[in-house]
Amino acid sequence: MSEGEAGLDDGEAFRKVRQRIADQSKRVVQTKEILSKQAVQTKEKTKEILSKQAVKIAKQAEEHERILFKVTHLMGVLGFGAFCFILGARPQDVPYVYCLFYVTFVPLRWIYYRYKKWHYYLLDFCYYANTIFIIVLLFFPKNEKLFMVCFSFAEGPLAWALIVWRCSLVFGSLDKIVSVLIHLLPGIVFFTIRWWNPETFAAMHPEGRAARVFWPYVEDKSYLWMWLFCVPLVAYTLWQLLYFLIVNVLRRQRLLRDPEVMTSYRELSKKAQKANNIWWRLSGLLGDQNRPTMYILFQGIFTVATMALTVPIFLSYEMHVIFQILKVSATIWNGGSFLLEVMPRQVVLKEKKKLEMKPILEQPRQPVVDLSTNHQHTSDTPDEQNNS
């Protein structure tokens, strides 16, 4: 064989190798194209299935929500009636009813709030105070100094929070019932102990002062101010420091990473900013970066003012009765406003969401394209490239 023929054979072999490589590359491109189109179609089919399932779940949730609302309303009204009966018939048992309520519903609330990313609410002062109430009522029920500290918490910041933060007594909402009772029940408990409990009532009218064993010496005003104002204020300051340490130092990065995690400050600032009310404008006097500090300052002023008011309430039965009526009336009024103003808007929003989901159910299913007939295409159209 001549050198020319050998060169031709080598060139032919080289071209065949190049052709095989080109064919393999072409098949790889075609395979990628097929897989890409299949992935797009699978993604669309998955979206369609998930959308239909979401609509189905939403409908079931709506049906269950209506039943749950009715059941909760029924149990709430019956429970309220039973509590009123116990309050009149056996006021000395009211503290035990309150303890049963707290140890039952607060753990359940933690589970629910953990799921909703609201669990930092349970670091608020109301839960701190309620925990102290439970400890005192169960383990130190006859300690008059601790009683007065608890009285200051219950009829001070917790009681006025019902009015200032517009807590609503809505029997159809378990969350709202628990929120109201956490603030309302402690005041009723310490009202009954202060005025209606047979044991403490007898101690209020001793024949001689030496007979007084378990009841505050109300004639000593400095004693009252010490245990109704000064000591509770120190306990509040301790809570504020612990709260700041946990939320603003130890868990700061966690809160920054997830804006959906709610705290009291986030919730209140969000509502104040949306309403652009006086609190939002006042909290921004020192700049946006100092709003948390201003929030702590306002809360401190609110606490000092409400704790100071507990001293005259503690001394006057008539004033204490009027205050109980005011708290209950405010929550019922706010509940009526919620039912007449807020719930209709929520129903409208739900109907809009249902109308938005309805076209998904009525959308006809698109036929699946047979991709096996498109093997000769080596490139996508611009639309297909965008989809892939």
Side-chain angles (χ1 to χ4, degrees), residues 355-382:
L355 293 175
E356 291 173 357
M357 290 180 177
K358 192 173 181 181
I360 298 176
L361 288 174
E362 297 178 351
Q363 184 178 0
R365 243 180 126 173
Q366 296 179 354
V368 179
V369 179
D370 187 3
L371 298 173
S372 61
T373 59
N374 297 331
H375 288 179
Q376 299 302 320
H377 295 289
T378 58
S379 63
D380 292 338
T381 64

Side-chain angles (χ1 to χ4, degrees), residues 46-62 353-354 357-358 360-361:
T46 303
K47 281 184 178 180
E48 181 183 354
I49 294 172
L50 292 177
S51 298
K52 290 183 177 179
Q53 289 296 324
V55 174
K56 184 178 179 181
I57 292 172
K59 285 186 174 180
Q60 292 177 348
E62 183 181 357
K353 288 183 179 180
K354 286 172 61 177
M357 290 180 177
K358 192 173 181 181
I360 298 176
L361 288 174

Side-chain angles (χ1 to χ4, degrees), residues 10 58 62 89 123 126 138 149 198 201 217 230-231 282 350 376 388:
D10 291 340
E62 183 181 357
L123 295 175
C126 56
L138 293 180
V149 172
F201 185 80
Y217 188 39
C230 296
V231 175
L282 288 176
K350 287 181 181 180
Q376 299 302 320
S388 62

Side-chain angles (χ1 to χ4, degrees), residues 87 91-92 147 151 155 187-205 215 218 310-324:
L87 183 64
Q92 64 270 26
F147 167 81
F151 185 96
E155 297 293 52
I188 297 177
V189 168
F190 293 109
F191 172 84
T192 59
I193 295 175
R194 175 73 175 95
W195 304 108
W196 288 357
N197 191 314
E199 293 182 6
T200 54
F201 185 80
M204 288 173 62
H205 303 283
W215 202 245
V218 296
T310 60
V311 176
I313 291 175
F314 186 86
L315 293 173
S316 173
Y317 174 74
E318 291 77 10
M319 185 179 293
H320 206 175
V321 170
I322 293 172
F323 190 50
Q324 301 304 311

Side-chain angles (χ1 to χ4, degrees), residues 149-201:
V149 172
C150 293
F151 185 96
S152 178
F153 286 164
E155 297 293 52
L158 266 67
W160 286 98
L162 287 167
I163 301 170
V164 174
W165 307 126
R166 296 177 56 82
C167 293
S168 305
L169 184 57
V170 180
F171 288 115
S173 171
L174 182 61
D175 187 55
K176 289 189 176 296
I177 292 175
V178 174
S179 295
V180 167
L181 294 183
I182 282 176
H183 295 82
L184 181 64
L185 273 184
I188 297 177
V189 168
F190 293 109
F191 172 84
T192 59
I193 295 175
R194 175 73 175 95
W195 304 108
W196 288 357
N197 191 314
E199 293 182 6
T200 54
F201 185 80

Side-chain angles (χ1 to χ4, degrees), residues 124-366:
D124 288 352
F125 179 75
C126 56
Y127 296 97
Y128 170 81
N130 274 272
T131 304
I132 295 176
F133 300 158
I134 295 296
I135 295 172
V136 170
L137 291 172
L138 293 180
F139 301 105
F140 308 100
K142 296 182 178 181
N143 189 306
E144 66 177 31
K145 293 178 180 178
L146 291 178
F147 167 81
M148 295 176 75
V149 172
C150 293
F151 185 96
S152 178
F153 286 164
E155 297 293 52
L158 266 67
W160 286 98
L162 287 167
I163 301 170
V164 174
W165 307 126
R166 296 177 56 82
C167 293
S168 305
L169 184 57
V170 180
F171 288 115
S173 171
L174 182 61
D175 187 55
K176 289 189 176 296
I177 292 175
V178 174
S179 295
V180 167
L181 294 183
I182 282 176
H183 295 82
L184 181 64
L185 273 184
I188 297 177
V189 168
F190 293 109
F191 172 84
T192 59
I193 295 175
R194 175 73 175 95
W195 304 108
W196 288 357
N197 191 314
E199 293 182 6
T200 54
F201 185 80
M204 288 173 62
H205 303 283
E207 294 181 2
R209 291 183 180 178
R212 185 188 66 83
V213 180
F214 303 125
W215 202 245
Y217 188 39
V218 296
E219 287 84 357
D220 188 349
K221 297 297 179 65
S222 62
Y223 184 88
L224 288 178
W225 280 98
M226 173 61 70
W227 292 101
L228 284 174
F229 182 75
C230 296
V231 175
L233 196 57
V234 171
Y236 166 80
T237 305
L238 176 62
W239 165 80
Q240 186 67 81
L241 292 174
L242 290 173
Y243 185 88
F244 183 84
L245 177 64
I246 295 172
V247 175
N248 295 81
V249 179
L250 298 179
R251 305 300 292 172
R252 176 180 175 81
Q253 296 301 321
R254 167 75 175 92
L255 293 171
L256 290 175
R257 285 197 305 269
D258 192 350
E260 293 183 358
V261 176
M262 295 304 297
T263 64
S264 293
Y265 169 72
R266 282 187 173 180
E267 178 68 15
L268 291 174
S269 61
K270 180 181 177 182
K271 290 182 177 179
Q273 182 180 15
K274 184 178 180 180
N276 194 25
N277 57 26
I278 186 172
W279 301 111
W280 178 254
R281 293 192 290 271
L282 288 176
S283 65
L285 291 177
L286 301 180
D288 289 341
Q289 71 277 7
N290 292 317
R291 286 188 187 274
T293 304
M294 295 295 291
Y295 171 73
I296 294 173
L297 178 61
F298 290 150
Q299 191 173 19
I301 295 172
F302 169 80
T303 302
V304 170
T306 55
M307 283 183 177
L309 290 173
T310 60
V311 176
I313 291 175
F314 186 86
L315 293 173
S316 173
Y317 174 74
E318 291 77 10
M319 185 179 293
H320 206 175
V321 170
I322 293 172
F323 190 50
Q324 301 304 311
I325 296 173
L326 174 64
K327 291 188 297 181
V328 176
S329 300
T331 58
I332 295 174
W333 180 275
N334 293 334
S337 299
F338 179 85
L339 291 173
L340 294 175
E341 298 172 8
V342 179
M343 282 196 70
R345 291 200 297 266
Q346 293 179 347
V347 172
V348 171
L349 290 175
K350 287 181 181 180
E351 291 298 325
K352 286 183 178 179
K353 288 183 179 180
K354 286 172 61 177
L355 293 175
E356 291 173 357
M357 290 180 177
K358 192 173 181 181
I360 298 176
L361 288 174
E362 297 178 351
Q363 184 178 0
R365 243 180 126 173
Q366 296 179 354

